[in-house]
Amino acid sequence: MSKTTEIFGINVFNDATMRERLPKDTYKILNATIKKGKDLDLAVANVVANVMKDWAIDHGATHYTHWFQPMTDITAEKHDSFISPKDDSGIIMEFSGKELIKGEPDASSFPSGGLRATFEARGYTAWDPTSPAFIKDNTLCIPTAFCSYSGEVLDKKTPLLRSTEAIGEQAVRMLRLFGKRISRVVTTVGPEQEYFLVDKELYEKRKDLVVTGRTLFGAAPPKGQELEDHYFGAIKPRVSEYMRDLDEELWKLGVLAKTEHNEAAPAQHELAPIYSNTNIATDHNQLTMEMMKKIALQHGLVCILHEKPFNGVNGSGKHNNWSISTDKGENLLDPGSSPYDNLQFLTFLMAVIKAVDEHQDLLRISVASAGNDHRLGANEAPPAIVSIFLGDELESVLDAIESGKSFSGVASSEMKTGVHVLPDFKKDKTDRNRTSPFAFTGNKFEFRMLGSASSIAETNIIINTIVAEALCEFADELEGSENFEDDCRALIKKTLSKHKKIIFNGNNYAAEWVEEAEKRGLLNLRTTADAVPLFKSEKNIELFEKFNIFKRSEVCSRCEIMLENYVKTLRIEALTMLEMAMQEILPAGTNYVKELSEGATLKAAFVDDISDSAEVNLIKELSKINDSLYAAISDLKKLIGALDKAEDAQTQAEYCRDSLLPAMEALRYYADKLEASIAKKFLPYPTYGELLFSV
Ligand code: ADP
Ligand code: MG
């Protein structure tokens, strides 16, 4: 056995470990819960808890925690040790089924969006046996769902699991119409994760990076990403060592870390795992982000997950590759060799097209954040307009369906390299379109609007739910049909005519697309403040209630939390800018002016009639910039003060969008101008050039 196969999953209470350690009957019952969604009782949980504890102790654990995903983008944990007093003097290590199944963290300090007053602090965590427990830092981590005392959902896992059940049920219904008896359908996800690595010492000198995760100031460096020499470039030794350690830690946690490469921007990289079911993929993505940060520190590096850490340089996203599969392993988005004749594939494809068109708003909202607003539409990420790319082959299939013409197929051609020693091979039937926000990539859809710092839960809650709705409508219409095949083809044709406006195979980054999309009536929700209020439209509340994803109160609370996050993030950024400008940038400018003035005076005293136009002009220029900088500081200060006067979160968010952000940009403009005109020794912080080429 190689080292890698030996360490893989070593810290996970996975299926192999359960099979080995649990009594046969217990394993069988637990397995039925995991694979078939059956209920689990306390007696079984007691046995599992005890075995799990022994396994954890064997692997060095002393504590356990219910690991959950509150409405922040990170995970939460509260550690308890296994110790329990025994007799008068000693202890034993104990862990009961009750402790495994239910936890009771004080919930008052987690975001609830007004769902729970702080005096009603009780919250519950409930074991999710479908995602395996694991050991991290000598602590047994038990994946759990999190809800309030009154039963309202306060986390991201519960709705994700609900949405998986919803789409599963509807897909099973649909497959029955195709004559297939399938007991379970799940969705699968492979999230590609982008990130930046910078030197830790330099990072610590940047208050903006430390406090907000992104640079709030910084003049453009002489060399950025224009030479395009970083993408897929040779990985530098320090980064390579980091990636190796990261892989190892992730493998131990059972994360299928697979592909790594340099990304487009300098200091930017990507990691993609092999896909898994959506629940596990979400937990693993959270763990991946945590490990990325932790391992970086061990290498004297800092991993930046912010969506737009550097102006003028590509930001980081997360590509959410998504598909639907039966428990027999059939990928329902696999077109097979003849998509035109594959009615089942076309039905599922059409359900996705309909869902995306009808719920553009929800997909946009699922990626909305202050950070991601800087990225969407900035010539590097898809715009805030949602559209679907299908590729040449599927386009011609759908054209044929719509026009009622026969389809002769798109032959795959040979790729001739023109060199004898190189092999010829079959080309793919369609090229890629990297600019599309929702691209069909052979046997799955790739949603590319997600920001790198977000949990992938929201996006997948939305995709699962909206496709569940489309499948449900299809099944309602087709169940009881006397001539299923004809009716199904007619339904596909009808749906296509209605929703084809969402299909766009061209360049999504082009300015013309914005105009064209508007003509087509597609939504363009530029900022979080524009997008989030639509979350609680009646149409959306109805959808969520129909599939038991969120209650009305939960929808409203989530809306509130998203807006609050947006406002809080911008307030923190604005305050950090003020502090840096007052404490570091303005003094740098005045100190340089002082040095120039003193130098010029000394020079004049020493030599009569000596020329001093360089100093004089520079002093004038710098003084002007300093004046503008100071004015911008005063403006921003006033605007922050007025923020609290806005009554509700929506008004505050709009105020941030319309007043605060432009004032922050103005302040940055002068600070960056100053940075570009100042002597190196007066620079208040490491420059972009230093940060981006430091590793
Ligand atoms: P890209 O060309 O977009 O960079 P990568 O190979 O880096 O592609 O990533 C593709 C991702 O899609 C991987 O995480 C892969 O496991 C995932 N993927 C492949 N098939 C499926 C599927 N059926 N469902 C979900 N994700 C999938
Ligand atoms: Mg990709």
Side-chain angles (χ1 to χ4, degrees):
M1 235 196 307
S2 75
K3 190 168 173 249
T4 307
T5 49
E6 264 169 45
I7 61 167
F8 187 80
I10 195 168
N11 290 337
V12 187
F13 192 67
N14 55 19
D15 187 62
T17 311
M18 288 192 264
R19 193 192 293 265
E20 183 195 316
R21 292 198 174 224
L22 288 172
K24 260 205 176 85
D25 292 354
T26 315
Y27 173 77
K28 241 172 129 179
I29 301 171
L30 184 61
N31 204 36
T33 302
I34 295 169
K35 302 248 165 75
K36 303 202 176 97
K38 297 252 158 67
D39 290 346
L40 190 77
D41 70 25
L42 189 60
V44 176
N46 271 325
V47 180
V48 178
N50 203 34
V51 172
M52 206 189 256
K53 175 206 69 188
D54 288 343
W55 168 81
I57 290 171
D58 287 350
H59 287 77
T62 49
H63 290 67
Y64 71 93
T65 180
H66 276 199
W67 185 76
F68 59 104
Q69 296 166 32
M71 291 298 296
T72 58
D73 275 320
I74 50 175
T75 54
E77 45 195 75
K78 182 188 90 177
H79 297 189
D80 281 297
S81 69
F82 289 123
I83 67 162
S84 180
K86 186 184 166 234
D87 305 330
D88 276 344
S89 47
I91 53 155
I92 48 166
M93 302 294 257
E94 256 184 357
F95 185 50
S96 68
K98 226 174 100 201
E99 286 166 314
L100 170 64
I101 286 180
K102 191 187 90 174
E104 216 191 293
D106 183 330
S108 58
S109 296
F110 291 106
S112 78
L115 267 186
R116 172 187 31 71
T118 23
F119 57 85
E120 297 166 334
R122 222 184 265 274
Y124 294 112
T125 48
W127 178 33
D128 166 20
T130 62
S131 181
F134 55 90
I135 295 171
K136 183 168 68 76
D137 298 331
N138 297 332
T139 301
L140 170 68
C141 299
I142 299 150
T144 51
F146 178 47
C147 65
S148 74
Y149 182 67
S150 44
E152 267 121 351
V153 171
L154 296 176
D155 75 341
K156 305 194 179 196
K157 186 186 269 285
T158 316
L160 183 66
L161 291 172
R162 287 176 179 170
S163 71
T164 313
E165 280 186 14
I167 189 171
E169 266 168 41
Q170 300 307 324
V172 165
R173 252 181 100 191
M174 201 64 234
L175 288 171
R176 208 173 296 134
L177 295 172
F178 284 99
K180 293 187 181 166
R181 302 235 153 246
I182 298 290
S183 53
R184 212 154 182 239
V185 170
V186 294
T187 52
T188 49
V189 167
E192 301 162 51
Q193 174 76 46
E194 291 179 343
Y195 60 98
F196 278 86
L197 284 179
V198 296
D199 185 82
K200 184 163 171 280
E201 266 182 43
L202 294 177
Y203 168 90
E204 281 165 353
K205 293 188 181 134
R206 298 277 319 208
K207 194 178 281 173
D208 46 4
L209 275 180
V210 173
V211 177
T212 71
R214 76 175 180 109
T215 56
L216 300 167
F217 299 104
K223 177 180 190 268
Q225 66 187 64
E226 51 283 270
L227 292 179
E228 297 177 334
D229 51 357
H230 195 254
Y231 190 59
F232 282 14
I235 300 172
K236 290 188 188 147
R238 200 167 161 201
V239 175
S240 176
E241 277 166 31
Y242 163 78
M243 286 178 171
R244 209 169 304 141
D245 279 1
L246 176 62
D247 274 345
E248 207 158 282
E249 282 312 306
L250 290 173
W251 290 336
K252 285 185 194 164
L253 288 165
V255 177
L256 292 158
K258 171 85 175 165
T259 310
E260 273 130 335
H261 60 80
N262 285 353
E263 258 301 326
Q268 192 183 30
H269 312 279
E270 180 185 295
L271 183 148
I274 296 172
Y275 71 93
S276 48
N277 81 50
T278 309
N279 184 30
I280 290 180
T282 305
D283 286 357
H284 280 181
N285 184 248
Q286 293 299 128
L287 275 177
T288 301
M289 291 195 284
E290 190 181 326
M291 287 302 148
M292 280 180 161
K293 292 192 155 179
K294 186 174 151 186
I295 308 286
L297 294 177
Q298 295 166 4
H299 289 255
L301 299 166
V302 173
C303 168
I304 300 178
L305 290 174
H306 194 281
E307 299 88 345
K308 188 74 182 176
F310 304 99
N311 256 21
V313 171
N314 273 16
S316 299
K318 188 133 54 181
H319 290 176
N320 191 80
N321 294 275
W322 178 95
S323 193
I324 338 176
S325 274
T326 67
D327 55 0
K328 299 208 168 89
E330 182 186 359
N331 179 352
L332 299 173
L333 288 177
D334 187 344
S337 53
S338 173
Y340 180 79
D341 304 306
N342 189 342
L343 201 53
Q344 181 191 302
F345 162 73
L346 290 172
T347 307
F348 280 89
L349 176 74
M350 206 47 70
V352 176
I353 294 174
K354 172 179 155 72
V356 172
D357 185 33
E358 283 180 349
H359 299 288
Q360 300 158 43
D361 57 342
L362 287 177
L363 286 166
R364 169 67 183 94
I365 293 164
S366 79
V367 301
S369 71
N372 213 19
D373 280 0
H374 296 291
R375 201 178 69 95
L376 296 177
N379 279 333
E380 50 171 73
I385 306 162
V386 177
S387 71
I388 294 182
F389 167 81
L390 290 177
D392 301 335
E393 185 183 30
L394 286 187
E395 274 279 286
S396 19
V397 167
L398 295 188
D399 282 349
I401 292 174
E402 214 195 352
S403 59
K405 289 194 191 119
S406 65
F407 177 71
S408 47
V410 177
S412 51
S413 55
E414 282 287 301
M415 181 76 177
K416 302 266 186 222
T417 54
V419 179
H420 289 301
V421 294
L422 296 182
D424 293 336
F425 49 86
K426 282 231 182 316
K427 273 208 296 198
D428 288 300
K429 288 184 183 167
T430 185
D431 199 1
R432 290 162 176 251
N433 181 337
R434 297 195 67 88
T435 69
S436 174
F438 207 102
F440 185 72
T441 48
N443 58 4
K444 62 189 186 297
F445 274 99
E446 181 170 347
F447 182 49
R448 300 177 175 137
M449 287 172 94
L450 208 64
S452 48
S454 305
S455 155
I456 61 170
E458 272 96 350
T459 276
N460 289 297
I461 295 168
I462 298 302
I463 302 179
N464 290 347
T465 308
I466 63 181
V467 177
E469 184 197 39
L471 288 171
C472 175
E473 282 177 28
F474 285 0
D476 287 346
E477 195 161 331
L478 293 171
E479 272 166 358
S481 149
E482 310 230 309
N483 196 338
F484 174 72
E485 225 184 286
D486 288 351
D487 289 347
C488 188
R489 270 204 185 268
L491 176 67
I492 288 171
K493 193 170 165 185
K494 184 175 82 181
T495 314
L496 179 61
S497 319
K498 194 163 167 208
H499 297 291
K500 68 177 177 193
K501 69 171 193 297
I502 196 75
I503 300 170
F504 177 60
N505 283 340
N507 179 8
N508 283 257
Y509 296 0
E512 301 87 70
W513 168 233
V514 178
E515 272 171 47
E516 159 76 13
E518 197 178 334
K519 275 193 217 132
R520 291 189 188 189
L522 301 183
L523 289 174
N524 185 1
L525 302 165
R526 277 172 232 272
T527 70
T528 301
D530 301 306
V532 169
L534 301 183
F535 194 56
K536 54 179 181 193
S537 71
E538 279 309 309
K539 174 183 161 203
N540 290 336
I541 292 179
E542 251 169 55
L543 167 75
F544 291 129
E545 287 190 332
K546 175 169 179 190
F547 292 97
N548 183 33
I549 311 295
F550 299 124
K551 293 185 270 201
R552 179 180 290 270
S553 58
E554 290 164 346
V555 173
C556 296
S557 96
R558 261 153 219 260
C559 207
E560 197 72 11
I561 291 171
M562 284 186 270
L563 290 170
E564 274 175 11
N565 274 343
Y566 178 74
V567 173
K568 283 178 188 165
T569 304
L570 289 173
R571 186 205 299 266
I572 293 170
E573 288 185 355
L575 288 171
T576 308
M577 285 187 95
L578 278 187
E579 203 173 280
M580 287 175 76
M582 283 305 285
Q583 294 178 357
E584 301 176 36
I585 306 171
L586 201 62
T590 49
N591 280 339
Y592 189 30
V593 168
K594 182 174 164 232
E595 181 168 290
L596 287 167
S597 314
E598 284 171 359
T601 315
L602 277 176
K603 222 165 60 166
F606 194 59
V607 184
D608 282 345
D609 283 340
I610 195 162
S611 145
D612 59 5
S613 70
E615 288 88 342
V616 171
N617 285 329
L618 205 47
I619 290 168
K620 280 188 187 162
E621 195 187 307
L622 286 168
S623 298
K624 229 165 119 189
I625 301 176
N626 268 347
D627 289 348
S628 306
L629 183 71
Y630 185 71
I633 292 173
S634 311
D635 283 349
L636 185 60
K637 211 186 266 176
K638 260 188 252 148
L639 289 169
I640 297 175
L643 179 57
D644 292 327
K645 296 201 184 95
E647 280 147 30
D648 53 54
Q650 179 61 34
T651 323
Q652 283 193 336
E654 284 166 19
Y655 179 82
C656 285
R657 177 195 63 195
D658 301 332
S659 304
L660 211 58
L661 271 167
M664 288 161 67
E665 259 168 49
L667 175 54
R668 175 175 189 150
Y669 173 79
Y670 293 112
D672 291 356
K673 220 169 148 180
L674 188 72
E675 184 193 311
S677 322
I678 216 168
K680 190 166 181 201
K681 67 172 185 182
F682 289 107
L683 283 174
Y685 35 64
T687 60
Y688 268 28
E690 289 169 300
L691 284 168
L692 288 167
F693 297 96
S694 64
V695 181

